[in-house]
């Protein structure tokens, strides 16, 4: 146990820096291969946090995205762009919600069911990993 205590003490400040507020995963029809996850991340620390990715056992990959709207030729064009990271400023919060930031669960390995719990591991720059469990909901 004594060998692991220094490592644990090294990660405790980082874990205390991240607060994850409740979120959810969008229920999609069984034939749809991708879905999105939403939550809010709060940075309780004095240094920026950089979310660089995520993992889940229910999808082949997870990527960070942000929805956008552009006007072209008098028409509104909606879409989403992949992001290399999302930065959470010191003392700040970033909401992942429909119409904004979201985590794309790409290549679902099986259909998800309403009420099921999906485990995600959030990956931060510097090696911090934070596990969250989100319910699958139809919204």
């Amino acid at each position: 146990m004594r060998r692991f205590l220094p490592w644990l003490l090294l990660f405790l400040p980082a874990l205390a820096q991240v607060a994850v507020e409740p979120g959810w995963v969008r229920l999609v029809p069984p034939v749809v291969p991708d879905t999105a996850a939403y939550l809010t991340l709060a940075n309780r620390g004095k240094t920026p946090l950089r979310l660089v990715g995520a993992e889940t056992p229910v999808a082949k990959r997870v990527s960070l995205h942000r929805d956008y709207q552009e006007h072209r030729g008098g028409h509104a064009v909606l879409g989403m762009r992949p992001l290399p990271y999302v930065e959470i400023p010191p003392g700040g919060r970033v909401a992942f919600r429909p119409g904004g930031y979201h985590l794309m669960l790409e290549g679902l390995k099986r259909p998800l069911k309403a009420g099921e719990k999906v485990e995600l591991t959030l990956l931060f720059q510097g090696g911090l990993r934070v596990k969250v469990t989100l319910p699958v909901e139809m919204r």
Side-chain angles (χ1 to χ4, degrees):
M1 178 69 175
R2 287 187 182 150
R3 291 186 315 173
F4 298 110
L5 189 56
W7 288 104
L8 181 62
L9 293 175
L10 180 67
F11 284 104
L12 281 177
L15 286 172
Q17 185 175 356
V18 181
V20 180
E21 296 175 13
W24 56 287
V25 173
R26 184 182 301 278
L27 179 66
V28 293
V31 295
V32 176
D34 306 326
T35 190
Y38 307 102
L39 47 75
T40 298
L41 297 174
N43 182 351
R44 295 181 176 165
K46 296 181 193 266
T47 59
L49 278 173
R50 186 172 279 188
L51 179 67
V52 295
E55 305 170 334
T56 182
V58 301
K60 292 178 184 170
R61 72 193 147 277
V62 179
S63 57
L64 306 170
H65 281 79
R66 184 170 191 173
D67 290 346
Y68 70 90
Q69 180 177 350
E70 293 179 353
H71 294 280
R72 294 186 199 155
H75 298 283
V77 177
L78 303 174
M80 63 180 168
R81 290 191 176 101
L83 302 170
Y85 62 86
V86 174
E87 192 154 306
I88 302 107
R93 299 170 42 164
V94 174
F96 288 70
R97 62 178 180 242
Y101 292 112
H102 55 279
L103 297 162
M104 283 298 299
L105 282 61
E106 302 173 79
L108 291 172
K109 295 178 181 176
R110 60 176 176 73
L112 302 178
K113 297 177 181 147
E116 169 181 2
K117 305 288 186 196
V118 171
E119 185 177 286
L120 283 164
T121 302
L122 305 175
L123 308 173
F124 293 87
Q125 185 173 321
L128 176 64
R129 300 166 66 90
V130 177
K131 288 191 177 193
V132 298
T133 303
L134 305 175
V136 176
E137 299 178 1
M138 181 186 293
R139 291 195 192 184

